[in-house]
Amino acid sequence: MFKKVLIANRGEIALRVHRACQEMGIRTVAVHSTADATAMHVRLADESVCIGPPAARDSYLNVAAILSAASITGAEAIHPGYGFLSENASFAEMVEAHGFTFIGPTAEHIRMMGDKIAAKQAMASLNVPLVPGSDGELSSFEEAREVAERIKYPVLIKAAAGGGGRGMKVAHSADELEEAWRVARTEAKAAFGNDAVYMEKYLDRPRHIELQVLADTHGNVVHFGERDCSLQRRHQKLVEEAGSPALTAAERDALGAQVTQGLSKLGYRNAGTLEFLWQDGQFAFIEMNTRLQVEHPVTEMVCGIDLVKEQLRVAAGETLGYAQSDITFGGHAIECRITAEDPVTFAPSPGRVTTYHAPGGLGVRVDSALYSGYAVPPHYDSLVAKLVVHGKTRAEAIARMRRALEEMVVDGIRTTLPLHQRIMADPQFQSGDYTIHWLERFVGLRD
Ligand code: ADP
């Protein structure tokens, strides 16, 4: 096993990785920008290295500085967390070229899945069902019009290099297509430096259901069941559940068997998530994320595993040591993403936290880098805490989440805590009958 791991991230996920390392007797190296000198991940790590000024492109995305930090501290492996460099294939390549282990998949698979068109082609070759759409990249507006006529409106134009919901535009009719085509390409060019787009049928009432997988370097692949991430605003997740209130165990097992066989054929390694839209009992693949996800804790709570420890073990070359039949699912887990934003307008609200009090008690987990007196910097993602609960049943998990939200105190900044309280109290959320469009109606973004 590694003796020292560098964590190339910040915030709650840097802490999350540190905790797994600590319990495994692995020493940790934190890297940080000047804005994060007093951050929790820096305080808890065994060593820390300042890698640049506040702007992420000069610090958390500064490959040379991160590799130098690994070198001078004698780290053997690098965990990228999520966001930042976690899905950057060149970074993974450079890490390995400098003699460190990249705790994640191969650069080849990161590159393949990072191009959503290539990812869909790879999944099609493994007989994984896709959302109907264009056969790869759209070469012209003419072609976009032809495909839209064939698959019927509404359609969605999506960026091949897309992420974070950017470069995605809906056209409900032929009149809207030109605008959607133009805006999606402009956004994609600006955000990703690549204006390649493709088209999918825009599903009217799907759920977002994703499957957590893990592979060792010896050809063993398992899945840890599904997460339902249908509660979204602007294509971004706010609340996640494991399992999905809509799925049966048989449906999960069938999808899981197909996916794990496919990934084994592909030679995939480490953790990954396949995202699907699910409507009328049918799964349709949309993309694969080749990293640990924000919402991984709900899976950990129902499976009783530590995904980061598993990532470290397989990255060090260990075999999984268990089979699919050893993995069992117990109870129900829910995660609320608490962000430093106004709960009504979603305007960012960085600043000093005067009082922080984390909830506790049976079945409650808080992944957060907050502390009383900490100033949330304005330079990064607004996620400040993940409140995760586990209960014997979904109803118990909801009741537990409601009381944990009551107990939690984050004073000094605005947060989305009140929004989560409203969601958990809503009868339709409680019924489990919701789609990816439900939350936007709930917050008044659509009618
Ligand atoms: P990103 O990588 O930018 O997050 P995804 O492809 O993962 O983009 O899609 C994000 C979200 O957008 C999905 O969870 C879903 O809510 C919505 N979405 C994506 N594709 C479709 C589609 N074909 N029809 C309806 N909604 C979709």
Side-chain angles (χ1 to χ4, degrees):
M1 184 41 67
F2 309 116
K3 292 194 180 60
K4 197 186 271 190
V5 166
L6 181 140
I7 304 164
N9 216 300
R10 64 178 302 282
E12 70 84 18
I13 196 61
L15 224 60
R16 167 73 190 87
V17 176
H18 166 80
R19 286 173 171 151
C21 290
Q22 198 77 25
E23 290 178 17
M24 292 170 84
I26 301 169
R27 293 178 62 79
T28 56
V29 180
V31 293
H32 66 91
S33 69
T34 50
D36 276 342
T38 58
M40 202 60 158
H41 75 283
V42 178
R43 294 180 169 208
L44 288 187
D46 295 301
E47 288 169 70
S48 64
V49 181
C50 181
I51 49 165
R57 67 172 175 280
D58 301 321
S59 50
Y60 297 103
L61 295 172
N62 183 342
V63 174
I66 291 168
L67 292 177
S68 305
S71 187
I72 57 172
T73 55
E76 300 154 85
I78 298 183
H79 195 301
Y82 54 69
F84 295 127
L85 294 166
S86 62
E87 290 179 292
N88 184 317
S90 311
F91 176 65
E93 247 156 27
M94 274 188 267
V95 166
E96 308 242 297
H98 283 78
F100 307 109
T101 301
F102 180 76
I103 301 167
T106 60
E108 177 207 352
H109 288 141
I110 297 174
R111 193 165 281 131
M112 176 191 286
M113 300 307 171
D115 175 347
K116 294 185 178 187
I117 293 173
K120 287 185 77 166
Q121 280 158 354
M123 290 303 153
S125 74
L126 299 171
N127 295 321
V128 175
L130 309 179
V131 183
S134 59
D135 203 11
E137 185 182 345
L138 292 169
S139 56
S140 65
F141 177 65
E142 277 312 298
E143 191 189 349
R145 208 159 47 195
E146 279 163 29
V147 178
E149 298 293 318
R150 175 164 59 77
I151 63 175
K152 305 266 185 291
Y153 290 93
V155 297
L156 190 59
I157 311 249
K158 296 175 85 171
R166 282 169 304 173
M168 206 185 293
K169 287 284 163 255
V170 187
H172 293 279
S173 63
D175 310 338
E176 292 178 8
L177 190 63
E178 188 148 10
E179 165 97 359
W181 161 262
R182 198 172 37 77
V183 176
R185 283 171 40 109
T186 311
E187 251 183 56
K189 184 81 190 168
F192 315 109
N194 173 358
D195 64 3
V197 294
Y198 61 105
M199 185 182 287
E200 277 178 0
K201 173 92 185 156
Y202 183 64
L203 301 183
D204 58 345
R205 49 193 162 78
R207 298 181 78 108
H208 172 119
I209 296 180
E210 58 185 33
L211 195 75
Q212 175 69 55
V213 297
L214 179 76
D216 64 18
T217 51
H218 309 276
N220 304 301
V221 189
V222 293
H223 72 85
F224 291 106
E226 84 283 8
R227 294 184 284 261
D228 196 315
C229 314
S230 302
L231 293 179
Q232 303 180 354
R233 176 182 164 270
R234 304 215 161 120
H235 310 301
Q236 295 295 296
K237 302 160 186 168
L238 260 83
V239 176
E240 299 97 347
E241 309 193 49
S244 168
L247 213 61
T248 64
E251 284 173 300
R252 167 212 294 153
D253 293 347
L255 181 73
Q258 189 182 10
V259 163
T260 49
Q261 270 166 28
L263 290 180
S264 175
K265 240 188 247 164
L266 214 59
Y268 192 80
R269 70 170 203 210
N270 216 280
T273 298
L274 289 96
E275 298 192 335
F276 297 88
L277 296 179
W278 184 87
Q279 186 170 304
D280 303 324
Q282 300 290 316
F283 281 102
F285 172 83
I286 49 172
E287 70 160 337
M288 178 165 185
N289 292 316
T290 52
R291 55 168 163 85
L292 189 67
Q293 297 213 200
V294 176
E295 61 272 23
H296 76 277
V298 289
T299 299
E300 297 183 321
M301 303 293 265
V302 294
C303 294
I305 47 131
D306 183 321
L307 274 169
V308 178
K309 285 186 184 170
E310 293 306 291
Q311 283 193 294
L312 288 157
R313 283 207 313 112
V314 297
E318 290 186 17
T319 53
L320 284 183
Y322 46 83
Q324 188 64 50
S325 54
D326 297 319
I327 298 167
T328 54
F329 305 95
H332 193 88
I334 303 177
E335 170 179 282
C336 289
R337 295 192 190 193
I338 319 273
T339 54
E341 292 174 319
D342 183 278
V344 177
T345 64
F346 295 95
S349 177
R352 191 160 307 275
V353 174
T354 50
T355 308
Y356 172 63
H357 174 77
L362 183 67
V364 176
R365 164 176 172 181
V366 183
D367 281 20
S368 172
L370 287 183
Y371 58 85
S372 290
Y374 174 69
V376 177
H379 315 283
Y380 314 107
D381 190 86
S382 59
L383 182 69
V384 289
K386 300 189 312 204
L387 176 53
V388 187
V389 299
H390 181 254
K392 283 196 294 291
T393 60
R394 185 168 183 267
E396 185 180 64
I398 294 173
R400 187 158 281 158
M401 182 62 89
R402 293 182 73 179
R403 77 101 178 126
L405 285 163
E406 274 301 313
E407 282 176 30
M408 188 163 183
V409 179
V410 185
D411 281 346
I413 58 170
R414 272 164 292 157
T415 72
T416 48
L417 276 168
L419 171 64
H420 287 291
Q421 282 173 319
R422 282 212 302 134
I423 295 171
M424 293 299 136
D426 185 84
Q428 195 166 2
F429 167 74
Q430 291 175 358
S431 77
D433 180 18
Y434 56 79
T435 73
I436 60 165
H437 304 304
W438 183 83
L439 186 69
E440 292 203 338
R441 276 188 205 111
F442 186 72
V443 299
L445 260 178
R446 61 161 74 212
D447 35 57

